[in-house]
Amino acid sequence: MAQSDGMEKVLEVKGLSKQYKKGVYASEKVSFEVNKGEIFALIGPNGAGKTTTIRMISTLLQATEGDAVVAGHSILTEPDKVRRCITYLPDEAGAYKNMTGMAYLKFMAELYADNKQQAEEYVQRGAEICELGDRLKDKIQSYSRGMQRKLLLARAFMSKPALAILDEPTSGLDIINALEIRRMIKKLADEGMSFLLSSHNMLEIEYVSDRVGIIAKGHLLETGTPAQLTEKYNAKNLEEVFERVVAEQ
Ligand code: ATP
């Protein structure tokens, strides 16, 4: 298995459950781990419990049961420390449309950095990551959807978080932009950043993830590398794996 012992664990999810309504589980006893430099994706259809799980780990939603430990800090007892180690990008992040891309990066850097020098480093890093070049001088409202997403991702990554949590990072983007964003994620993972992604696009996520977790009706049914799972279920791709995993339940 890819989650071999001895690897540095950046995230340990331990039996996380959420009931929005008593007796009705949106996610139930979900457990998995993400190692340093690893890209892990939760995949499942609409309503499977991906966003609920991700929001609990991001400390935005209180868990009903269980815990998650991010870089050694519990979401239950040390949520402030967890927030300092992660970045969370929701699927529909609104940008500050009247600002230029550069002004947005500066604004965010000043919000997150401890001092002026660090803020400058963040801006420089953000500008490099987004690869928007001179267009950073233009207002965000003139950007395409793909450019806006790249800017938001650069903002999320500029502070070098231990764990980046991205809900549907390439949804609504054309293939070129989606490919560029996948490449951006892989490069940062090679540099040691860890990723927790969610997606209902199983074919796309197969190419970017080191490991995936299959989630349906609030239950994490399988985890493994795309290759392990396609072999185990004698499937052509993760969509077929998903079909077969659910059929076995
Ligand atoms: P999608 O791909 O559509 O984003 P998802 O896998 O992220 O779906 P969740 O948004 O986590 O799924 O939803 C899981 C379940 O919890 C669904 O049945 C949903 O209706 C329910 N749910 C989500 N948020 C709430 C809420 N605030 N109150 C009550 N039920 C909720």
Side-chain angles (χ1 to χ4, degrees), residues 114-149:
D114 294 328
N115 54 54
K116 214 168 162 222
Q117 193 197 338
Q118 193 176 47
E120 280 166 14
E121 282 166 20
Y122 284 4
V123 172
Q124 202 181 354
R125 193 173 143 76
E128 275 165 25
I129 293 173
C130 69
E131 295 179 347
L132 290 173
D134 265 359
R135 292 298 311 271
L136 278 173
K137 293 180 195 152
D138 296 336
K139 283 196 174 171
I140 295 171
Q141 63 197 8
S142 73
Y143 290 7
S144 69
R145 202 181 162 94
M147 291 167 71
Q148 285 189 30
R149 190 70 57 85

Short mmCIF file of all heavy atoms in Angstrom, two decimals, residues 114-149:
data_model
loop_
_atom_site.label_atom_id
_atom_site.label_comp_id
_atom_site.label_asym_id
_atom_site.label_seq_id
_atom_site.Cartn_x
_atom_site.Cartn_y
_atom_site.Cartn_z
N ASP A 114 3.51 37.31 8.81
CA ASP A 114 3.82 37.80 10.15
C ASP A 114 4.50 39.16 10.12
O ASP A 114 4.48 39.91 11.09
CB ASP A 114 4.75 36.82 10.88
CG ASP A 114 4.03 35.50 11.14
OD1 ASP A 114 2.82 35.54 11.35
OD2 ASP A 114 4.71 34.45 11.14
N ASN A 115 5.19 39.48 9.02
CA ASN A 115 5.87 40.77 8.91
C ASN A 115 5.98 41.18 7.45
O ASN A 115 5.60 40.43 6.55
CB ASN A 115 7.26 40.69 9.56
CG ASN A 115 8.08 39.55 8.97
OD1 ASN A 115 8.25 39.47 7.76
ND2 ASN A 115 8.55 38.66 9.82
N LYS A 116 6.53 42.39 7.24
CA LYS A 116 6.56 42.98 5.90
C LYS A 116 7.40 42.16 4.92
O LYS A 116 7.01 41.92 3.77
CB LYS A 116 7.14 44.41 6.00
CG LYS A 116 6.52 45.32 5.00
CD LYS A 116 6.86 46.77 5.27
CE LYS A 116 6.58 47.51 3.97
NZ LYS A 116 7.48 48.47 3.58
N GLN A 117 8.54 41.71 5.42
CA GLN A 117 9.44 40.93 4.55
C GLN A 117 8.77 39.63 4.09
O GLN A 117 8.84 39.26 2.92
CB GLN A 117 10.73 40.62 5.30
CG GLN A 117 11.82 40.10 4.38
CD GLN A 117 12.92 39.42 5.16
OE1 GLN A 117 13.11 39.65 6.35
NE2 GLN A 117 13.65 38.55 4.50
N GLN A 118 8.10 38.99 5.04
CA GLN A 118 7.42 37.74 4.69
C GLN A 118 6.29 38.02 3.69
O GLN A 118 6.09 37.26 2.74
CB GLN A 118 6.85 37.08 5.95
CG GLN A 118 6.41 35.66 5.72
CD GLN A 118 5.94 34.99 7.00
OE1 GLN A 118 5.15 35.57 7.76
NE2 GLN A 118 6.40 33.79 7.25
N ALA A 119 5.60 39.14 3.87
CA ALA A 119 4.53 39.50 2.94
C ALA A 119 5.09 39.67 1.53
O ALA A 119 4.49 39.21 0.55
CB ALA A 119 3.83 40.78 3.41
N GLU A 120 6.24 40.31 1.43
CA GLU A 120 6.86 40.51 0.11
C GLU A 120 7.24 39.17 -0.53
O GLU A 120 7.06 38.95 -1.72
CB GLU A 120 8.09 41.42 0.22
CG GLU A 120 7.68 42.88 0.29
CD GLU A 120 8.81 43.79 0.75
OE1 GLU A 120 9.98 43.35 0.77
OE2 GLU A 120 8.51 44.95 1.11
N GLU A 121 7.75 38.26 0.32
CA GLU A 121 8.09 36.92 -0.19
C GLU A 121 6.85 36.20 -0.71
O GLU A 121 6.87 35.56 -1.76
CB GLU A 121 8.72 36.07 0.93
CG GLU A 121 10.17 36.40 1.20
CD GLU A 121 10.65 35.79 2.51
OE1 GLU A 121 10.03 34.83 3.01
OE2 GLU A 121 11.64 36.32 3.04
N TYR A 122 5.76 36.32 0.04
CA TYR A 122 4.50 35.68 -0.36
C TYR A 122 4.04 36.22 -1.72
O TYR A 122 3.62 35.47 -2.58
CB TYR A 122 3.41 35.93 0.69
CG TYR A 122 3.50 35.11 1.95
CD1 TYR A 122 4.56 34.24 2.20
CD2 TYR A 122 2.50 35.20 2.92
CE1 TYR A 122 4.63 33.50 3.37
CE2 TYR A 122 2.55 34.45 4.09
CZ TYR A 122 3.62 33.61 4.32
OH TYR A 122 3.67 32.89 5.46
N VAL A 123 4.09 37.55 -1.88
CA VAL A 123 3.62 38.16 -3.13
C VAL A 123 4.46 37.65 -4.31
O VAL A 123 3.94 37.26 -5.35
CB VAL A 123 3.68 39.70 -3.06
CG1 VAL A 123 3.38 40.32 -4.43
CG2 VAL A 123 2.68 40.22 -2.03
N GLN A 124 5.76 37.63 -4.09
CA GLN A 124 6.66 37.18 -5.16
C GLN A 124 6.36 35.73 -5.54
O GLN A 124 6.26 35.37 -6.71
CB GLN A 124 8.10 37.31 -4.68
CG GLN A 124 9.07 37.40 -5.83
CD GLN A 124 10.50 37.49 -5.35
OE1 GLN A 124 10.78 37.61 -4.16
NE2 GLN A 124 11.41 37.44 -6.27
N ARG A 125 6.19 34.93 -4.51
CA ARG A 125 5.91 33.52 -4.74
C ARG A 125 4.55 33.34 -5.44
O ARG A 125 4.42 32.58 -6.39
CB ARG A 125 5.92 32.81 -3.38
CG ARG A 125 5.95 31.33 -3.45
CD ARG A 125 6.12 30.76 -2.04
NE ARG A 125 5.34 29.56 -1.89
CZ ARG A 125 5.69 28.39 -2.40
NH1 ARG A 125 6.79 28.26 -3.07
NH2 ARG A 125 4.90 27.34 -2.25
N GLY A 126 3.55 34.10 -4.97
CA GLY A 126 2.21 34.03 -5.58
C GLY A 126 2.25 34.41 -7.05
O GLY A 126 1.65 33.75 -7.90
N ALA A 127 3.01 35.47 -7.35
CA ALA A 127 3.11 35.94 -8.74
C ALA A 127 3.78 34.88 -9.61
O ALA A 127 3.37 34.65 -10.76
CB ALA A 127 3.89 37.25 -8.78
N GLU A 128 4.78 34.20 -9.05
CA GLU A 128 5.45 33.14 -9.82
C GLU A 128 4.51 31.96 -10.06
O GLU A 128 4.43 31.43 -11.17
CB GLU A 128 6.68 32.62 -9.06
CG GLU A 128 7.92 33.45 -9.29
CD GLU A 128 9.00 33.14 -8.27
OE1 GLU A 128 9.01 32.03 -7.70
OE2 GLU A 128 9.82 34.04 -8.02
N ILE A 129 3.81 31.56 -9.01
CA ILE A 129 2.97 30.37 -9.12
C ILE A 129 1.85 30.57 -10.15
O ILE A 129 1.57 29.69 -10.96
CB ILE A 129 2.36 30.00 -7.74
CG1 ILE A 129 3.46 29.54 -6.77
CG2 ILE A 129 1.32 28.89 -7.88
CD1 ILE A 129 2.97 29.31 -5.35
N CYS A 130 1.21 31.74 -10.14
CA CYS A 130 0.03 31.91 -11.01
C CYS A 130 0.41 32.07 -12.48
O CYS A 130 -0.42 31.85 -13.36
CB CYS A 130 -0.86 33.05 -10.53
SG CYS A 130 -0.13 34.67 -10.74
N GLU A 131 1.63 32.44 -12.76
CA GLU A 131 2.12 32.59 -14.14
C GLU A 131 1.24 33.53 -14.96
O GLU A 131 1.03 33.30 -16.15
CB GLU A 131 2.22 31.22 -14.83
CG GLU A 131 3.26 30.31 -14.19
CD GLU A 131 3.37 28.94 -14.85
OE1 GLU A 131 2.49 28.59 -15.64
OE2 GLU A 131 4.34 28.23 -14.56
N LEU A 132 0.72 34.59 -14.32
CA LEU A 132 -0.13 35.52 -15.07
C LEU A 132 0.66 36.68 -15.67
O LEU A 132 0.12 37.48 -16.43
CB LEU A 132 -1.26 36.05 -14.17
CG LEU A 132 -2.32 35.01 -13.80
CD1 LEU A 132 -3.29 35.59 -12.78
CD2 LEU A 132 -3.08 34.53 -15.02
N GLY A 133 1.92 36.78 -15.30
CA GLY A 133 2.80 37.79 -15.90
C GLY A 133 2.23 39.20 -15.79
O GLY A 133 1.76 39.62 -14.72
N ASP A 134 2.25 39.91 -16.92
CA ASP A 134 1.80 41.31 -16.95
C ASP A 134 0.32 41.47 -16.67
O ASP A 134 -0.13 42.55 -16.27
CB ASP A 134 2.09 41.91 -18.34
CG ASP A 134 3.43 42.64 -18.33
OD1 ASP A 134 4.06 42.67 -17.25
OD2 ASP A 134 3.82 43.17 -19.39
N ARG A 135 -0.45 40.41 -16.87
CA ARG A 135 -1.89 40.51 -16.62
C ARG A 135 -2.21 40.75 -15.13
O ARG A 135 -3.32 41.12 -14.78
CB ARG A 135 -2.62 39.24 -17.11
CG ARG A 135 -2.64 39.06 -18.62
CD ARG A 135 -3.36 40.19 -19.37
NE ARG A 135 -4.67 40.53 -18.85
CZ ARG A 135 -5.81 39.96 -19.24
NH1 ARG A 135 -5.79 39.03 -20.17
NH2 ARG A 135 -6.96 40.35 -18.73
N LEU A 136 -1.20 40.54 -14.27
CA LEU A 136 -1.41 40.83 -12.84
C LEU A 136 -1.70 42.31 -12.61
O LEU A 136 -2.24 42.69 -11.58
CB LEU A 136 -0.17 40.41 -12.04
CG LEU A 136 -0.09 38.93 -11.67
CD1 LEU A 136 1.25 38.63 -11.03
CD2 LEU A 136 -1.22 38.55 -10.72
N LYS A 137 -1.32 43.15 -13.61
CA LYS A 137 -1.57 44.60 -13.47
C LYS A 137 -3.02 44.95 -13.83
O LYS A 137 -3.46 46.08 -13.61
CB LYS A 137 -0.64 45.37 -14.41
CG LYS A 137 0.83 45.26 -14.02
CD LYS A 137 1.67 46.06 -15.00
CE LYS A 137 3.14 45.71 -14.90
NZ LYS A 137 3.84 45.91 -16.16
N ASP A 138 -3.74 43.99 -14.40
CA ASP A 138 -5.13 44.25 -14.82
C ASP A 138 -6.12 43.89 -13.71
O ASP A 138 -5.82 43.08 -12.83
CB ASP A 138 -5.48 43.42 -16.07
CG ASP A 138 -4.63 43.83 -17.26
OD1 ASP A 138 -4.15 44.98 -17.26
OD2 ASP A 138 -4.43 42.98 -18.15
N LYS A 139 -7.31 44.49 -13.81
CA LYS A 139 -8.33 44.19 -12.81
C LYS A 139 -8.83 42.75 -12.96
O LYS A 139 -8.93 42.23 -14.08
CB LYS A 139 -9.51 45.15 -12.96
CG LYS A 139 -9.20 46.51 -12.40
CD LYS A 139 -10.45 47.33 -12.19
CE LYS A 139 -10.09 48.63 -11.48
NZ LYS A 139 -11.21 49.55 -11.43
N ILE A 140 -9.16 42.16 -11.82
CA ILE A 140 -9.58 40.75 -11.81
C ILE A 140 -10.84 40.55 -12.65
O ILE A 140 -11.03 39.51 -13.27
CB ILE A 140 -9.77 40.27 -10.36
CG1 ILE A 140 -8.40 40.29 -9.63
CG2 ILE A 140 -10.38 38.89 -10.30
CD1 ILE A 140 -8.48 40.05 -8.15
N GLN A 141 -11.67 41.59 -12.73
CA GLN A 141 -12.92 41.44 -13.50
C GLN A 141 -12.66 41.19 -15.00
O GLN A 141 -13.53 40.69 -15.70
CB GLN A 141 -13.85 42.63 -13.31
CG GLN A 141 -13.28 43.94 -13.82
CD GLN A 141 -14.04 45.14 -13.25
OE1 GLN A 141 -14.88 44.99 -12.37
NE2 GLN A 141 -13.76 46.32 -13.74
N SER A 142 -11.44 41.51 -15.45
CA SER A 142 -11.12 41.27 -16.87
C SER A 142 -10.54 39.87 -17.09
O SER A 142 -10.20 39.51 -18.21
CB SER A 142 -10.14 42.32 -17.38
OG SER A 142 -8.84 42.07 -16.85
N TYR A 143 -10.39 39.10 -16.03
CA TYR A 143 -9.77 37.77 -16.15
C TYR A 143 -10.80 36.72 -16.59
O TYR A 143 -11.97 36.79 -16.22
CB TYR A 143 -9.20 37.29 -14.79
CG TYR A 143 -7.98 38.02 -14.28
CD1 TYR A 143 -7.48 39.15 -14.91
CD2 TYR A 143 -7.32 37.56 -13.16
CE1 TYR A 143 -6.36 39.80 -14.42
CE2 TYR A 143 -6.20 38.20 -12.66
CZ TYR A 143 -5.73 39.33 -13.30
OH TYR A 143 -4.63 39.96 -12.81
N SER A 144 -10.30 35.72 -17.32
CA SER A 144 -11.14 34.56 -17.63
C SER A 144 -11.30 33.74 -16.35
O SER A 144 -10.56 33.95 -15.37
CB SER A 144 -10.49 33.71 -18.71
OG SER A 144 -9.34 33.09 -18.16
N ARG A 145 -12.22 32.78 -16.39
CA ARG A 145 -12.44 31.91 -15.24
C ARG A 145 -11.15 31.16 -14.85
O ARG A 145 -10.82 31.01 -13.68
CB ARG A 145 -13.53 30.91 -15.61
CG ARG A 145 -14.25 30.30 -14.47
CD ARG A 145 -15.28 29.32 -15.02
NE ARG A 145 -15.70 28.41 -13.98
CZ ARG A 145 -16.76 28.59 -13.22
NH1 ARG A 145 -17.53 29.63 -13.39
NH2 ARG A 145 -17.09 27.71 -12.29
N GLY A 146 -10.42 30.72 -15.88
CA GLY A 146 -9.18 29.98 -15.64
C GLY A 146 -8.14 30.86 -14.96
O GLY A 146 -7.44 30.43 -14.04
N MET A 147 -8.03 32.12 -15.42
CA MET A 147 -7.06 33.04 -14.81
C MET A 147 -7.44 33.33 -13.36
O MET A 147 -6.57 33.40 -12.48
CB MET A 147 -7.01 34.35 -15.61
CG MET A 147 -6.38 34.19 -16.99
SD MET A 147 -6.69 35.65 -18.00
CE MET A 147 -5.63 36.83 -17.21
N GLN A 148 -8.74 33.50 -13.13
CA GLN A 148 -9.18 33.78 -11.75
C GLN A 148 -8.84 32.61 -10.84
O GLN A 148 -8.37 32.79 -9.72
CB GLN A 148 -10.69 34.01 -11.72
CG GLN A 148 -11.07 35.37 -12.27
CD GLN A 148 -12.54 35.69 -12.05
OE1 GLN A 148 -13.16 35.26 -11.10
NE2 GLN A 148 -13.10 36.47 -12.96
N ARG A 149 -9.07 31.39 -11.35
CA ARG A 149 -8.77 30.21 -10.52
C ARG A 149 -7.28 30.13 -10.22
O ARG A 149 -6.87 29.82 -9.10
CB ARG A 149 -9.27 28.94 -11.23
CG ARG A 149 -9.23 27.68 -10.39
CD ARG A 149 -10.26 27.67 -9.26
NE ARG A 149 -11.59 27.84 -9.77
CZ ARG A 149 -12.36 26.85 -10.23
NH1 ARG A 149 -11.91 25.62 -10.21
NH2 ARG A 149 -13.56 27.09 -10.69
#
